[in-house]
Amino acid sequence: MLIANKHAARIPYPDELRSIMSIERAEQSRRWLSGWSGIARAATPLHELPGLAARLKLAWLGIKDESLRSPLGSFKALGAPVALLRQVLRLHPGFDPESVLAGRHAEALKDYTVISATDGNHGRALAAAARDAGCRCVIVLHARVSAERERAIAACGARIVRIAGNYDASVTEAARLAAEHGWQVVSDTSYDGYEDIPRDVMQGYGVIASELVEQSGGRPPCTHVFLQGGVGGLAAGVIGYLWETYGARRPRFIVVEPDQADCLYQSALAQSPACASGSVDSIMAGLACGEVSPLAWRFLRNSVDHFMTIADDAAIQAMRVLAAGGHGDIPIVAGESGAAGLAGLLVSMRDETLAGALGLDADSRVLVINTEGATAPSVYEQCVGMTASSVLSRQEACLARP
Protein backbone atom coordinates (compact mmCIF):
# COMPACT_ATOMS: atom_id res chain seq x y z
CA MET A 1 0.00 0.00 0.00
CA LEU A 2 1.07 3.56 -0.65
CA ILE A 3 -0.01 6.84 0.88
CA ALA A 4 1.09 10.34 -0.11
CA ASN A 5 1.94 12.60 2.80
CA LYS A 6 0.02 15.82 2.19
CA HIS A 7 2.11 17.55 4.87
CA ALA A 8 5.47 16.91 3.18
CA ALA A 9 7.23 20.26 2.72
CA ARG A 10 10.00 21.46 0.43
CA ILE A 11 11.41 24.19 2.62
CA PRO A 12 14.73 24.89 4.34
CA TYR A 13 15.49 22.60 7.26
CA PRO A 14 13.50 23.96 10.22
CA ASP A 15 15.47 25.51 13.09
CA GLU A 16 13.31 23.55 15.53
CA LEU A 17 14.65 20.29 14.09
CA ARG A 18 18.22 21.56 13.74
CA SER A 19 18.26 22.26 17.48
CA ILE A 20 17.63 18.55 18.05
CA MET A 21 19.68 16.94 15.29
CA SER A 22 22.17 18.67 13.01
CA ILE A 23 24.98 18.17 10.53
CA GLU A 24 27.40 19.52 13.13
CA ARG A 25 26.51 16.82 15.65
CA ALA A 26 26.52 14.11 12.98
CA GLU A 27 30.04 15.10 11.94
CA GLN A 28 31.10 15.08 15.58
CA SER A 29 29.69 11.57 15.94
CA ARG A 30 31.56 10.52 12.83
CA ARG A 31 34.88 11.79 14.24
CA TRP A 32 34.34 10.13 17.60
CA LEU A 33 33.41 6.78 16.08
CA SER A 34 36.20 6.78 13.51
CA GLY A 35 38.73 5.41 15.98
CA TRP A 36 36.54 2.60 17.29
CA SER A 37 37.81 -0.85 16.37
CA GLY A 38 34.22 -2.03 15.85
CA ILE A 39 33.71 0.08 12.75
CA ALA A 40 35.23 0.26 9.28
CA ARG A 41 37.81 2.99 8.73
CA ALA A 42 36.59 3.83 5.24
CA ALA A 43 33.14 4.95 4.14
CA THR A 44 30.82 2.15 3.13
CA PRO A 45 30.66 1.73 -0.65
CA LEU A 46 28.08 3.41 -2.86
CA HIS A 47 27.61 0.90 -5.68
CA GLU A 48 25.95 1.75 -8.97
CA LEU A 49 23.56 -0.89 -10.34
CA PRO A 50 23.44 -0.06 -14.06
CA GLY A 51 21.95 -3.40 -15.09
CA LEU A 52 19.00 -3.16 -12.74
CA ALA A 53 18.54 0.53 -13.52
CA ALA A 54 18.26 -0.34 -17.22
CA ARG A 55 15.73 -3.10 -16.54
CA LEU A 56 13.65 -0.74 -14.43
CA LYS A 57 14.03 2.07 -16.97
CA LEU A 58 15.62 4.48 -14.51
CA ALA A 59 18.40 6.95 -15.21
CA TRP A 60 20.48 5.71 -12.26
CA LEU A 61 20.22 3.35 -9.33
CA GLY A 62 22.68 3.28 -6.44
CA ILE A 63 22.93 1.29 -3.24
CA LYS A 64 24.82 2.29 -0.09
CA ASP A 65 26.05 -0.98 1.38
CA GLU A 66 25.91 -0.81 5.19
CA SER A 67 26.59 -4.54 5.49
CA LEU A 68 30.26 -3.52 5.37
CA ARG A 69 29.97 -0.87 8.07
CA SER A 70 31.29 -3.17 10.76
CA PRO A 71 32.05 -6.80 11.59
CA LEU A 72 28.64 -6.58 13.27
CA GLY A 73 27.12 -6.51 9.78
CA SER A 74 24.73 -3.57 9.92
CA PHE A 75 24.21 0.19 10.13
CA LYS A 76 23.32 -0.20 13.80
CA ALA A 77 27.05 0.02 14.56
CA LEU A 78 26.60 3.78 14.08
CA GLY A 79 23.73 4.27 16.51
CA ALA A 80 24.07 2.41 19.80
CA PRO A 81 27.84 2.99 20.19
CA VAL A 82 27.64 6.75 19.72
CA ALA A 83 24.61 6.91 22.04
CA LEU A 84 26.51 4.99 24.70
CA LEU A 85 29.50 7.27 24.22
CA ARG A 86 27.44 10.45 24.57
CA GLN A 87 25.69 9.08 27.66
CA VAL A 88 29.04 8.29 29.29
CA LEU A 89 30.21 11.83 28.50
CA ARG A 90 27.11 13.26 30.18
CA LEU A 91 28.07 11.34 33.33
CA HIS A 92 31.81 11.99 33.00
CA PRO A 93 32.27 15.24 31.04
CA GLY A 94 36.02 15.18 31.62
CA PHE A 95 36.54 11.94 29.68
CA ASP A 96 38.24 12.12 26.28
CA PRO A 97 35.51 11.05 23.80
CA GLU A 98 37.82 9.00 21.59
CA SER A 99 39.20 7.08 24.57
CA VAL A 100 35.87 5.75 25.88
CA LEU A 101 35.31 3.03 23.26
CA ALA A 102 39.03 2.23 23.41
CA GLY A 103 38.45 1.04 26.98
CA ARG A 104 40.72 3.56 28.65
CA HIS A 105 38.01 4.38 31.22
CA ALA A 106 36.97 0.79 31.88
CA GLU A 107 37.81 0.93 35.58
CA ALA A 108 35.46 3.87 36.11
CA LEU A 109 32.69 2.19 34.09
CA LYS A 110 32.92 -1.38 35.37
CA ASP A 111 29.78 -1.08 37.53
CA TYR A 112 27.75 0.86 34.96
CA THR A 113 25.03 -1.22 33.27
CA VAL A 114 23.16 -0.44 30.04
CA ILE A 115 20.10 -2.30 28.81
CA SER A 116 18.03 -2.39 25.64
CA ALA A 117 15.39 -4.35 23.80
CA THR A 118 16.29 -5.45 20.29
CA ASP A 119 15.37 -7.48 17.25
CA GLY A 120 19.07 -8.27 16.87
CA ASN A 121 21.30 -5.63 15.30
CA HIS A 122 20.86 -2.77 17.79
CA GLY A 123 21.46 -5.06 20.75
CA ARG A 124 24.54 -6.58 19.16
CA ALA A 125 25.99 -3.12 18.50
CA LEU A 126 25.27 -1.95 22.05
CA ALA A 127 26.78 -5.11 23.51
CA ALA A 128 29.96 -4.69 21.46
CA ALA A 129 30.30 -1.03 22.43
CA ALA A 130 29.67 -1.76 26.12
CA ARG A 131 32.25 -4.55 26.08
CA ASP A 132 34.87 -2.26 24.55
CA ALA A 133 34.06 0.63 26.90
CA GLY A 134 34.24 -1.68 29.90
CA CYS A 135 30.66 -1.47 31.19
CA ARG A 136 27.98 -4.14 31.60
CA CYS A 137 25.18 -4.82 29.13
CA VAL A 138 21.79 -6.56 29.39
CA ILE A 139 19.76 -7.27 26.24
CA VAL A 140 16.06 -8.15 26.26
CA LEU A 141 14.94 -10.42 23.41
CA HIS A 142 11.36 -11.20 22.45
CA ALA A 143 10.01 -14.54 21.30
CA ARG A 144 10.64 -14.05 17.58
CA VAL A 145 14.37 -13.24 17.81
CA SER A 146 16.23 -16.28 16.50
CA ALA A 147 18.68 -18.32 18.54
CA GLU A 148 21.25 -17.45 15.89
CA ARG A 149 20.91 -13.74 16.62
CA GLU A 150 20.88 -14.41 20.36
CA ARG A 151 24.23 -16.23 20.12
CA ALA A 152 25.75 -13.33 18.18
CA ILE A 153 24.70 -10.85 20.88
CA ALA A 154 25.86 -13.09 23.72
CA ALA A 155 29.23 -13.47 21.99
CA CYS A 156 29.71 -9.73 22.52
CA GLY A 157 29.47 -10.23 26.28
CA ALA A 158 25.85 -9.26 26.95
CA ARG A 159 23.57 -10.92 29.47
CA ILE A 160 20.42 -12.09 27.68
CA VAL A 161 16.88 -11.84 29.07
CA ARG A 162 14.20 -13.69 27.10
CA ILE A 163 10.50 -12.80 27.21
CA ALA A 164 7.30 -13.91 25.50
CA GLY A 165 5.57 -11.43 23.23
CA ASN A 166 6.80 -9.08 20.51
CA TYR A 167 9.32 -6.24 20.19
CA ASP A 168 7.11 -3.69 21.91
CA ALA A 169 6.74 -6.02 24.89
CA SER A 170 10.53 -6.30 25.09
CA VAL A 171 10.82 -2.48 25.13
CA THR A 172 8.44 -2.39 28.10
CA GLU A 173 10.38 -5.09 29.93
CA ALA A 174 13.70 -3.33 29.35
CA ALA A 175 12.27 -0.13 30.86
CA ARG A 176 10.93 -2.09 33.84
CA LEU A 177 14.24 -3.80 34.53
CA ALA A 178 16.12 -0.52 34.20
CA ALA A 179 13.87 1.16 36.76
CA GLU A 180 14.13 -1.80 39.13
CA HIS A 181 17.93 -2.08 39.05
CA GLY A 182 19.06 1.46 38.30
CA TRP A 183 20.35 0.56 34.83
CA GLN A 184 20.44 2.90 31.83
CA VAL A 185 18.21 2.20 28.83
CA VAL A 186 19.99 2.77 25.50
CA SER A 187 17.15 2.47 23.00
CA ASP A 188 16.58 3.64 19.46
CA THR A 189 12.93 4.43 20.16
CA SER A 190 11.74 7.36 22.26
CA TYR A 191 8.87 7.63 24.70
CA ASP A 192 7.56 10.19 27.15
CA GLY A 193 10.50 11.62 29.12
CA TYR A 194 13.08 9.64 27.14
CA GLU A 195 14.46 11.46 24.08
CA ASP A 196 18.15 12.30 24.54
CA ILE A 197 19.53 8.82 23.87
CA PRO A 198 17.21 8.01 20.91
CA ARG A 199 18.25 11.38 19.45
CA ASP A 200 21.91 10.37 19.82
CA VAL A 201 21.19 7.04 18.10
CA MET A 202 19.54 8.81 15.17
CA GLN A 203 22.40 11.32 15.02
CA GLY A 204 24.79 8.41 14.53
CA TYR A 205 22.79 7.27 11.51
CA GLY A 206 23.45 10.67 9.96
CA VAL A 207 26.98 9.43 9.24
CA ILE A 208 25.50 7.44 6.34
CA ALA A 209 24.20 10.65 4.76
CA SER A 210 27.46 12.48 5.51
CA GLU A 211 29.38 9.89 3.50
CA LEU A 212 26.78 9.95 0.75
CA VAL A 213 27.15 13.72 0.31
CA GLU A 214 30.93 13.31 0.04
CA GLN A 215 30.63 10.43 -2.40
CA SER A 216 28.31 12.54 -4.57
CA GLY A 217 30.70 15.49 -4.71
CA GLY A 218 28.29 17.69 -2.77
CA ARG A 219 25.62 17.57 -5.48
CA PRO A 220 22.15 16.19 -4.72
CA PRO A 221 22.91 12.49 -5.22
CA CYS A 222 19.49 11.42 -6.42
CA THR A 223 15.88 12.37 -7.00
CA HIS A 224 14.43 9.61 -4.80
CA VAL A 225 15.57 7.84 -1.63
CA PHE A 226 13.84 4.65 -0.43
CA LEU A 227 14.38 4.18 3.32
CA GLN A 228 13.49 1.43 5.77
CA GLY A 229 10.81 2.17 8.38
CA GLY A 230 10.94 0.39 11.75
CA VAL A 231 10.48 2.90 14.56
CA GLY A 232 11.69 5.63 12.19
CA GLY A 233 15.20 6.25 13.54
CA LEU A 234 17.21 5.42 10.42
CA ALA A 235 14.90 7.44 8.19
CA ALA A 236 15.01 10.42 10.56
CA GLY A 237 18.81 10.34 10.82
CA VAL A 238 19.38 10.20 7.07
CA ILE A 239 16.57 12.60 6.16
CA GLY A 240 17.63 15.18 8.74
CA TYR A 241 21.15 15.38 7.31
CA LEU A 242 20.06 15.48 3.66
CA TRP A 243 17.28 17.97 4.37
CA GLU A 244 19.68 20.31 6.16
CA THR A 245 22.20 19.93 3.32
CA TYR A 246 19.88 20.46 0.35
CA GLY A 247 16.94 22.34 1.84
CA ALA A 248 14.07 22.72 -0.61
CA ARG A 249 16.15 20.83 -3.21
CA ARG A 250 16.07 17.69 -1.09
CA PRO A 251 15.30 14.33 -2.74
CA ARG A 252 11.89 12.74 -2.56
CA PHE A 253 11.77 10.40 0.45
CA ILE A 254 9.80 7.15 0.46
CA VAL A 255 9.69 5.10 3.69
CA VAL A 256 9.06 1.35 3.39
CA GLU A 257 7.89 -1.05 6.11
CA PRO A 258 6.22 -4.50 6.37
CA ASP A 259 2.47 -4.77 5.75
CA GLN A 260 1.94 -6.20 9.22
CA ALA A 261 4.21 -3.68 11.01
CA ASP A 262 2.83 -0.48 9.47
CA CYS A 263 3.20 1.96 12.37
CA LEU A 264 4.60 4.73 10.15
CA TYR A 265 1.91 4.24 7.51
CA GLN A 266 -0.75 4.41 10.23
CA SER A 267 0.94 7.49 11.70
CA ALA A 268 0.73 9.15 8.29
CA LEU A 269 -2.99 8.40 8.18
CA ALA A 270 -3.52 9.77 11.69
CA GLN A 271 -0.92 12.54 11.34
CA SER A 272 0.38 11.63 14.78
CA PRO A 273 2.35 8.68 16.23
CA ALA A 274 0.23 5.55 15.88
CA CYS A 275 0.44 1.80 16.33
CA ALA A 276 0.68 -0.83 13.63
CA SER A 277 -2.56 -2.39 12.44
CA GLY A 278 -1.17 -5.91 11.96
CA SER A 279 0.49 -8.74 13.84
CA VAL A 280 3.97 -7.11 13.84
CA ASP A 281 5.37 -10.48 12.77
CA SER A 282 7.57 -10.14 9.70
CA ILE A 283 10.62 -11.82 8.23
CA MET A 284 12.00 -8.26 8.15
CA ALA A 285 12.86 -8.60 11.83
CA GLY A 286 14.56 -5.22 12.12
CA LEU A 287 11.41 -3.50 10.87
CA ALA A 288 8.89 -5.52 12.89
CA CYS A 289 7.94 -2.65 15.20
CA GLY A 290 4.46 -1.89 16.44
CA GLU A 291 4.93 1.72 17.55
CA VAL A 292 6.69 4.66 15.94
CA SER A 293 9.27 6.62 17.91
CA PRO A 294 7.57 9.97 18.67
CA LEU A 295 10.90 11.79 18.34
CA ALA A 296 11.57 10.27 14.92
CA TRP A 297 8.04 11.19 13.84
CA ARG A 298 8.81 14.86 14.44
CA PHE A 299 11.38 14.61 11.63
CA LEU A 300 9.31 12.41 9.32
CA ARG A 301 5.90 14.07 9.45
CA ASN A 302 6.90 16.98 7.16
CA SER A 303 9.69 15.38 5.14
CA VAL A 304 8.58 11.94 3.96
CA ASP A 305 6.71 12.25 0.67
CA HIS A 306 5.22 8.75 0.66
CA PHE A 307 4.80 5.92 3.15
CA MET A 308 4.70 2.42 1.70
CA THR A 309 4.09 -1.10 3.00
CA ILE A 310 5.33 -4.31 1.38
CA ALA A 311 4.83 -8.05 1.81
CA ASP A 312 7.57 -10.33 3.13
CA ASP A 313 7.82 -12.01 -0.28
CA ALA A 314 8.83 -8.69 -1.82
CA ALA A 315 11.78 -8.41 0.56
CA ILE A 316 12.91 -11.95 -0.23
CA GLN A 317 12.72 -11.24 -3.96
CA ALA A 318 14.86 -8.12 -3.51
CA MET A 319 17.43 -10.14 -1.54
CA ARG A 320 17.67 -12.55 -4.47
CA VAL A 321 17.98 -9.76 -7.03
CA LEU A 322 20.89 -8.24 -5.13
CA ALA A 323 22.57 -11.61 -4.60
CA ALA A 324 22.34 -12.46 -8.31
CA GLY A 325 24.10 -9.35 -9.57
CA GLY A 326 24.95 -9.66 -13.24
CA HIS A 327 24.29 -7.33 -16.16
CA GLY A 328 27.08 -5.10 -14.88
CA ASP A 329 25.84 -5.14 -11.27
CA ILE A 330 27.94 -6.29 -8.33
CA PRO A 331 26.47 -9.13 -6.23
CA ILE A 332 25.48 -7.83 -2.78
CA VAL A 333 24.56 -9.64 0.43
CA ALA A 334 21.45 -7.99 1.86
CA GLY A 335 19.53 -9.30 4.85
CA GLU A 336 15.77 -9.37 5.12
CA SER A 337 15.45 -5.81 6.42
CA GLY A 338 18.42 -4.63 4.38
CA ALA A 339 16.64 -5.32 1.11
CA ALA A 340 13.37 -3.59 2.07
CA GLY A 341 14.12 -0.28 0.36
CA LEU A 342 14.91 -1.98 -2.93
CA ALA A 343 11.83 -4.16 -2.48
CA GLY A 344 9.71 -1.01 -2.31
CA LEU A 345 11.28 0.25 -5.53
CA LEU A 346 10.75 -3.07 -7.35
CA VAL A 347 7.12 -3.22 -6.27
CA SER A 348 6.61 0.36 -7.45
CA MET A 349 8.18 -0.17 -10.86
CA ARG A 350 5.95 -3.18 -11.55
CA ASP A 351 2.86 -0.98 -11.22
CA GLU A 352 2.51 2.05 -13.51
CA THR A 353 0.09 3.69 -11.09
CA LEU A 354 2.51 3.40 -8.16
CA ALA A 355 5.47 4.52 -10.27
CA GLY A 356 3.49 7.52 -11.49
CA ALA A 357 2.40 8.47 -7.98
CA LEU A 358 6.04 8.43 -6.89
CA GLY A 359 7.24 10.40 -9.90
CA LEU A 360 9.49 7.56 -11.05
CA ASP A 361 10.43 7.72 -14.73
CA ALA A 362 13.36 7.53 -17.14
CA ASP A 363 14.94 10.64 -15.60
CA SER A 364 14.83 9.36 -12.00
CA ARG A 365 17.99 8.78 -10.00
CA VAL A 366 17.20 6.45 -7.11
CA LEU A 367 19.13 5.58 -3.96
CA VAL A 368 18.47 2.62 -1.68
CA ILE A 369 20.35 1.61 1.46
CA ASN A 370 21.27 -1.96 2.28
CA THR A 371 21.06 -1.69 6.06
CA GLU A 372 22.33 -5.18 6.93
CA GLY A 373 24.13 -8.21 5.59
CA ALA A 374 23.43 -11.82 6.51
CA THR A 375 23.15 -11.18 10.25
CA ALA A 376 21.25 -14.48 10.50
CA PRO A 377 23.18 -16.65 7.98
CA SER A 378 20.80 -19.62 8.06
CA VAL A 379 17.78 -17.39 7.41
CA TYR A 380 19.65 -15.73 4.56
CA GLU A 381 20.41 -19.07 2.93
CA GLN A 382 16.79 -20.17 3.27
CA CYS A 383 15.56 -16.97 1.64
CA VAL A 384 18.11 -16.64 -1.16
CA GLY A 385 18.92 -20.28 -1.91
CA MET A 386 22.67 -19.76 -1.56
CA THR A 387 25.07 -18.94 1.23
CA ALA A 388 26.21 -15.42 2.00
CA SER A 389 29.82 -16.56 1.60
CA SER A 390 29.16 -17.71 -1.97
CA VAL A 391 27.67 -14.30 -2.83
CA LEU A 392 30.64 -12.54 -1.24
CA SER A 393 33.03 -14.70 -3.27
CA ARG A 394 31.35 -13.56 -6.48
CA GLN A 395 31.41 -9.98 -5.19
CA GLU A 396 35.17 -10.20 -4.62
CA ALA A 397 35.68 -11.60 -8.12
CA CYS A 398 33.62 -8.76 -9.56
CA LEU A 399 35.63 -6.13 -7.69
CA ALA A 400 38.91 -7.72 -8.81
CA ARG A 401 38.11 -7.28 -12.49
CA PRO A 402 40.02 -4.43 -14.21
Side-chain angles (χ1 to χ4, degrees):
M1 293 192 293
L2 182 74
I3 183 173
N5 179 14
K6 63 182 179 181
H7 295 285
R10 292 193 171 275
I11 57 175
Y13 190 54
D15 289 339
E16 173 198 358
L17 298 183
R18 186 182 290 106
S19 68
I20 302 170
M21 197 162 61
S22 66
I23 287 175
E24 180 182 5
R25 286 177 66 88
E27 294 300 333
Q28 186 182 58
S29 297
R30 186 177 178 183
R31 289 194 305 272
W32 288 353
L33 282 177
S34 64
W36 182 40
S37 61
I39 208 165
R41 292 293 179 269
T44 55
L46 174 61
H47 293 300
E48 296 186 15
L49 301 177
L52 186 54
R55 296 200 297 278
L56 297 177
K57 299 180 180 179
L58 298 169
W60 181 84
L61 175 59
I63 183 167
K64 186 95 164 101
D65 190 2
E66 290 297 302
S67 71
L68 302 177
R69 175 62 63 186
S70 160
L72 304 173
S74 88
F75 79 105
K76 295 285 189 175
L78 294 171
V82 80
L84 173 61
L85 172 56
R86 288 189 181 277
Q87 177 61 17
V88 167
L89 293 176
R90 279 190 279 271
L91 298 173
H92 301 279
F95 283 5
D96 170 37
E98 296 180 6
S99 70
V100 173
L101 294 178
R104 290 198 284 273
H105 299 288
E107 180 63 25
L109 297 173
K110 64 181 181 180
D111 296 322
Y112 186 59
T113 301
V114 292
I115 184 171
S116 185
T118 188
D119 280 304
N121 293 335
H122 174 81
R124 190 178 178 190
L126 179 61
R131 175 199 61 202
D132 291 352
C135 56
R136 300 172 182 173
C137 182
V138 178
I139 298 297
V140 182
L141 302 179
H142 61 84
R144 294 290 297 177
V145 178
S146 68
E148 194 170 28
R149 287 194 168 97
E150 177 181 345
R151 288 192 296 270
I153 297 169
C156 293
R159 171 189 160 195
I160 305 297
V161 174
R162 274 281 187 177
I163 67 158
N166 61 17
Y167 172 76
D168 299 296
S170 67
V171 170
T172 300
E173 179 63 7
R176 187 192 70 79
L177 289 171
E180 179 180 334
H181 297 285
W183 298 338
Q184 177 61 59
V185 175
V186 179
S187 174
D188 55 357
T189 189
S190 65
Y191 43 84
D192 188 33
Y194 180 77
E195 289 194 343
D196 287 351
I197 289 175
R199 175 205 61 209
D200 295 338
V201 171
M202 296 191 306
Q203 196 77 78
Y205 300 156
V207 172
I208 299 171
S210 172
E211 293 177 356
L212 178 64
V213 170
E214 285 183 0
Q215 291 166 322
S216 304
R219 301 180 304 276
C222 49
T223 58
H224 297 71
V225 183
F226 282 75
L227 291 162
Q228 285 83 341
V231 299
L234 168 69
V238 172
I239 285 173
Y241 194 106
L242 295 180
W243 192 2
E244 184 174 356
T245 300
Y246 300 115
R249 296 164 53 239
R250 67 167 179 79
R252 187 179 300 206
F253 298 118
I254 302 96
V255 169
V256 182
E257 59 191 340
D259 285 335
Q260 60 272 48
D262 59 345
C263 59
L264 292 169
Y265 185 95
Q266 294 300 324
S267 297
L269 287 175
Q271 275 305 300
S272 63
C275 296
S277 63
S279 63
V280 195
D281 179 15
S282 170
I283 195 170
M284 293 171 270
L287 308 181
C289 306
E291 297 182 34
V292 64
S293 168
L295 180 62
W297 180 251
R298 289 166 66 179
F299 288 83
L300 304 183
R301 64 187 177 191
N302 297 123
S303 62
V304 176
D305 296 279
H306 288 84
F307 293 89
M308 183 178 191
T309 65
I310 59 169
D312 283 0
D313 287 348
I316 295 172
Q317 178 59 30
M319 293 169 68
R320 292 172 177 169
V321 168
L322 288 170
H327 305 282
D329 295 346
I330 185 172
I332 292 173
V333 175
E336 308 91 300
S337 299
L342 179 63
L345 174 63
L346 295 177
V347 168
S348 301
M349 297 308 292
R350 287 197 295 267
D351 185 319
E352 290 185 3
T353 301
L354 289 180
L358 294 172
L360 290 165
D361 57 31
D363 295 321
S364 297
R365 297 172 56 82
V366 181
L367 172 75
V368 299
I369 298 176
N370 174 26
T371 54
E372 64 173 4
T375 54
S378 64
V379 176
Y380 181 86
E381 185 174 359
Q382 291 169 11
C383 291
V384 177
M386 62 184 85
T387 64
S389 59
S390 67
V391 178
L392 289 174
S393 294
R394 291 190 293 108
Q395 182 184 92
E396 290 174 5
C398 183
L399 291 171
R401 293 184 198 132

